[in-house]
Amino acid sequence: MDGQTVESFDLDGFLPYRLCVAANHVGREFAERFRAAFGISLAEWRVLAHLSQTGPVSVREIHAAVDMDKSKISRAAARLEAAGHITKQENPRDRRLVELTLTTEGRALVDRLIPVAQSFQDELTARLGPDTQVVFDALSRLAESGDAT
């Protein structure tokens, strides 16, 4: 540990810890907005947002794109389907996969979610101030380096 001992280790100065704490805090703030305003979870938001950008995809494809546990995505998809926001159907190219698609109601919900998401982003960038682009660039570099593992 480069000469550090357990006693001298500074958890608050440990970057992986600080990133996790910050991500969890921001995620909870964001999730609370969507739960309070629309009754949906963060996982449901991610599924809806991804589908709005890509069109029909499988749970596997969403998992790869949003880095969320497949079981969470599946549960979110089941809730969204029950609410009439998405449909599930067999993938014609691979019958083992289920394809998720936004319904008209789902697209209308996304149209109402986007302004709330944008407002939240505007608040975060206001908090970061002139450091916003530096943070974006740093997070991009960290995400890219994580792809290599």
Side-chain angles (χ1 to χ4, degrees), residues 101-149:
T101 307
L102 281 176
T103 63
T104 302
E105 294 83 6
R107 182 142 318 271
L109 177 59
V110 170
D111 288 344
R112 294 187 351 252
L113 295 170
I114 296 302
V116 175
Q118 189 59 57
S119 174
F120 186 77
Q121 171 151 312
D122 292 346
E123 291 173 28
L124 285 177
T125 58
R127 283 193 237 171
L128 290 170
D131 296 327
T132 299
Q133 192 58 52
V134 173
V135 172
F136 265 105
D137 293 345
L139 290 173
S140 293
R141 284 192 307 275
L142 289 174
E144 288 168 7
S145 67
D147 291 341
T149 57

Side-chain angles (χ1 to χ4, degrees), residues 21-146:
V21 169
N24 289 336
H25 178 76
V26 170
R28 278 191 305 274
E29 276 187 72
F30 189 61
E32 181 54 32
R33 299 253 176 122
F34 283 102
R35 189 201 59 72
F38 303 101
I40 66 169
S41 69
L42 190 56
E44 291 164 316
W45 150 254
R46 286 183 181 178
V47 170
L48 289 168
H50 188 72
L51 288 174
S52 75
Q53 298 289 299
T54 62
V57 293
S58 70
V59 167
R60 181 186 307 165
E61 291 167 308
I62 294 174
H63 163 71
V66 302
D67 195 28
M68 186 172 37
D69 186 65
K70 284 182 197 174
S71 63
K72 281 187 179 181
I73 296 168
S74 293
R75 287 191 302 272
R79 289 188 301 268
L80 291 167
E81 181 183 34
H85 299 303
I86 67 168
T87 59
K88 292 181 184 178
Q89 54 194 84
E90 189 177 89
N91 183 312
R93 294 172 307 284
D94 186 344
R95 298 176 64 141
R96 297 167 297 165
L97 297 177
V98 173
E99 209 166 62
L100 309 177
T101 307
L102 281 176
T103 63
T104 302
E105 294 83 6
R107 182 142 318 271
L109 177 59
V110 170
D111 288 344
R112 294 187 351 252
L113 295 170
I114 296 302
V116 175
Q118 189 59 57
S119 174
F120 186 77
Q121 171 151 312
D122 292 346
E123 291 173 28
L124 285 177
T125 58
R127 283 193 237 171
L128 290 170
D131 296 327
T132 299
Q133 192 58 52
V134 173
V135 172
F136 265 105
D137 293 345
L139 290 173
S140 293
R141 284 192 307 275
L142 289 174
E144 288 168 7
S145 67

